Amino acid sequence: MDGDTQLSKFKMWIGGEWVESASGEYFESDNPFLGKPWALIPKGNAQDADRAIRAAHEALTKGPWGKMTATQRGALLRKLGDLIGPESKQLAEVEVRDNGKLFAEMSAQTAYMAQWYYYFGGLADKIEGSVIPIDKPDTFNYTRQEPIGVVVAIIPWNSPLLLTAWKLAPALAAGCTVVIKPSEFTSASTLEFMKLIEQAGFPPGVVNVVTGFGAEVGGPLVEHPLTNKVAFTGSDRTGAMIYQAAAKGMKRVTMELGGKSPNIVFDDAEIDNAVKGVISGIFAATGQTCIAGSRLLVQKSIHDQFVDKLVALAGTAKMGNPMNADTQVGPVTNPPQFRKILDYLDIAKGEGANPVLGGSKANRPECGDGWFVEPTIFTGVNNRMRIAQEEVFGPVLSVIPFEDEDQAIEIGNDVVFGLAAGVWTQNMRRAFKMAERLQAGTVWVNTYRAVSYLSPFGGYKKSGIGRESGQDMIREYLQTKSVWISLATEVPNPFVLR
């Protein structure tokens, strides 16, 4: 990569070629820590979207990809996993420049994402149909699991490469072809990753990347008649728009959307561990994560003690350059999100919430000209406030007291979202009952913010449709075909349903 004094220029990856946009135009990608551009990204349009979809369709229907065995596809995925390891730190550096998250976290993510390609590479030739003991005489009936077709994967700006892996690995294992549309705020790392796709030897058109803005690229990709499925991660508002557009073409969707997750601390919890867990849930990744534990529900009997410990520890968080090993809170990724968070701070104060920590833009010298928000904790919050109901997607925590398990469940479930929840208790009966009653796709007990390629991830309610990771994920990219073979020597009455 070029130095910060000269903007790095990237190209799109379509049909196995590095190409400029049809218009030849570029847009700037900003470094959130420096608050200034560092890269030039191709500004795609509907023509580029059409070219990518057609390349993916041709790769599926006419190219070598559709003729490969599942074992061969799996071998390519595992080879890709092998290529990731040596390049993971360099990929992480690109992500940090683009989204401002900590290098410590991004480098761990880029290294860990190889496991998705290994896992689904191994699963590729374990996809099986079934022979059905059908109730018709002289008839053999079996099922086939076939790729759903061309997949459009729309990736958010907070963890681009990891969330790409969550979609790309199972889609390729299933035999689909993919067009990736990264966020306009963080396209560079996805384009950089395509060098590994090229090196691994995937046939042309199997994986494509079109960069640009939602209306100009995302819409045409979703609405294209050759698109068979859309896999999206992002806000519930954008997800609803994509869902509506996909429905017009009867396209399949999986969606991982927003969250307003409760992190629930009972009075029998290991307090110091729970404090760390709450901080991890909201201030790690600068709160820019769908699973953020943005609502702290703490039992009234320990409310003041817990908040004091929480404020004391959170107040020591070191802000600054995300590339530094000792930085704990980095910048907000982009100016619109920065302004949104600051607006919510004003909204919370206007509703009567009390900022016991932070509550403003960060003006520390170590933050330079970047888009930093002070880690913020609000007390005096009730669950009807906007700050408790709407996704802020930043380092902003609402503290809400509760009396007992029933009230914790009532408050915890009283939102339109249901992505995740945390429970801190030493009572295992309580842990199991809370996990059962909470309306969330993931419930963590005495931990928070843990994910794995082995375990399904997704949301209840407005937090999404379908699941990512785990064995069932591959079926999101497959369709079932039933095959009937008659063994009869004579065709029965043709006017009667068999």
Side-chain angles (χ1 to χ4, degrees):
M1 304 302 297
D2 297 336
D4 287 326
T5 57
Q6 182 179 350
L7 299 187
S8 300
K9 182 180 280 191
F10 290 83
K11 290 186 177 182
M12 293 190 289
W13 178 250
I14 299 177
E17 296 179 343
W18 295 102
V19 299
E20 296 185 349
S21 63
S23 68
E25 297 180 2
Y26 287 80
F27 63 94
E28 294 177 339
S29 187
D30 294 326
N31 181 322
F33 174 62
L34 300 177
K36 64 182 183 181
W38 77 278
L40 293 173
I41 305 298
K43 187 179 181 183
N45 57 26
Q47 186 176 340
D48 299 297
D50 178 70
R51 179 180 176 183
I53 293 292
R54 292 189 183 279
H57 180 72
E58 184 166 334
L60 184 70
T61 57
K62 298 179 182 179
W65 183 251
K67 299 179 179 65
M68 280 186 177
T69 65
T71 301
Q72 289 172 321
R73 293 198 305 269
L76 277 177
L77 281 164
R78 293 192 298 275
K79 183 177 180 181
L80 178 60
D82 289 341
L83 293 172
I84 287 170
E87 300 298 324
S88 62
K89 290 192 184 309
Q90 192 265 340
L91 290 169
E93 289 176 2
V94 176
E95 289 218 328
V96 173
R97 286 192 187 189
D98 233 9
N99 73 359
K101 290 177 75 172
L102 303 185
F103 178 74
E105 170 148 330
M106 289 295 94
S107 58
Q109 284 189 12
T110 52
Y112 190 41
M113 73 183 182
Q115 298 302 324
W116 272 262
Y117 297 103
Y118 289 138
Y119 179 79
F120 286 102
L123 197 58
D125 57 5
K126 313 303 185 296
I127 302 167
E128 299 177 347
S130 59
V131 175
I132 298 172
I134 205 70
D135 62 338
K136 313 293 183 184
D138 299 321
T139 301
F140 182 66
N141 179 237
Y142 68 95
T143 60
R144 289 173 49 87
Q145 297 295 325
E146 299 182 348
I148 197 163
V150 176
V151 175
V152 169
I154 301 178
I155 311 299
W157 43 258
N158 56 338
S159 291
L161 286 181
L162 180 64
L163 296 180
T164 293
W166 289 18
K167 297 164 179 56
L168 184 60
L172 295 179
C176 297
T177 54
V178 182
V179 178
I180 303 168
K181 194 279 179 193
S183 167
E184 61 270 26
F185 296 112
T186 54
S187 300
S189 61
T190 307
L191 294 172
E192 192 75 10
F193 183 65
M194 289 305 104
K195 294 178 181 178
L196 302 187
I197 293 288
E198 182 180 23
Q199 189 176 343
F202 285 89
V206 173
V207 184
N208 310 269
V209 179
V210 183
T211 53
F213 295 83
E216 298 166 2
V217 173
L221 287 173
V222 172
E223 296 166 7
H224 200 287
L226 295 179
T227 296
N228 302 109
K229 175 185 170 66
V230 180
F232 171 75
T233 297
S235 72
D236 60 307
R237 181 178 178 180
T238 304
M241 294 169 59
I242 291 172
Y243 197 11
Q244 289 176 341
K248 293 177 182 178
M250 294 295 177
K251 305 175 196 301
R252 294 254 296 270
V253 299
T254 51
M255 293 194 170
E256 191 265 281
L257 307 177
K260 197 67 185 175
S261 301
N263 210 349
I264 305 170
V265 180
F266 287 93
D267 58 9
D268 67 331
E270 291 284 352
I271 298 299
D272 290 342
N273 287 341
V275 167
K276 293 175 185 176
V278 170
I279 286 176
S280 172
I282 189 60
F283 298 132
T286 316
Q288 298 173 115
T289 171
C290 52
I291 55 177
S294 54
R295 290 184 300 152
L296 166 60
L297 277 57
V298 59
Q299 200 156 22
K300 285 184 177 178
S301 57
I302 60 168
H303 177 278
D304 292 351
Q305 171 196 358
F306 191 86
V307 170
D308 287 346
K309 283 180 171 285
L310 181 66
V311 169
L313 185 57
T316 66
K318 182 173 176 55
M319 305 180 77
N321 189 341
M323 286 299 299
N324 293 344
D326 59 347
T327 298
Q328 296 169 314
V329 178
V332 175
T333 296
N334 56 73
Q337 183 62 25
F338 179 61
R339 290 190 294 269
K340 175 186 173 183
I341 296 169
L342 295 182
D343 285 345
Y344 268 108
L345 297 181
D346 291 336
I347 289 168
K349 295 169 189 174
E351 289 180 320
N354 177 36
V356 292
L357 181 71
S360 64
K361 171 186 175 181
N363 293 309
R364 308 183 191 191
E366 58 268 31
C367 295
D369 295 323
W371 305 308
F372 285 83
V373 175
E374 288 286 348
T376 297
I377 299 173
F378 283 107
T379 58
V381 178
N382 67 68
N383 206 51
R384 297 267 52 84
M385 292 180 176
R386 289 182 62 186
I387 198 70
Q389 289 290 315
E390 300 173 13
E391 187 177 40
V392 177
F393 218 70
V396 182
L397 179 67
S398 298
V399 183
I400 305 171
F402 69 88
E403 290 281 0
D404 52 26
E405 290 179 24
D406 288 339
Q407 190 177 34
I409 290 291
E410 180 182 356
I411 296 171
N413 290 340
D414 187 20
V415 285
V416 298
F417 300 107
L419 189 58
V423 178
W424 297 85
T425 180
Q426 295 303 301
N427 184 324
M428 287 299 102
R429 182 208 63 80
R430 171 183 285 160
F432 279 104
K433 294 302 293 183
M434 292 294 292
E436 176 185 330
R437 297 173 67 189
L438 283 164
Q439 296 170 359
T442 296
V443 178
W444 292 290
V445 177
N446 295 330
T447 187
Y448 204 89
R449 217 169 161 253
V451 296
S452 170
Y453 54 94
L454 294 164
S455 183
F457 179 84
Y460 284 26
K461 300 186 281 188
K462 289 184 73 174
S463 284
I465 299 168
R467 292 294 181 269
E468 296 188 300
S469 299
Q471 288 191 23
D472 289 344
M473 179 55 191
I474 201 167
R475 301 209 175 269
E476 300 280 0
Y477 296 94
L478 294 166
Q479 50 195 348
T480 302
K481 177 182 286 181
S482 180
V483 180
W484 294 70
I485 299 175
S486 175
L487 306 176
T489 57
E490 182 179 342
V491 175
N493 185 345
F495 297 99
V496 176
L497 180 71
R498 283 209 65 193

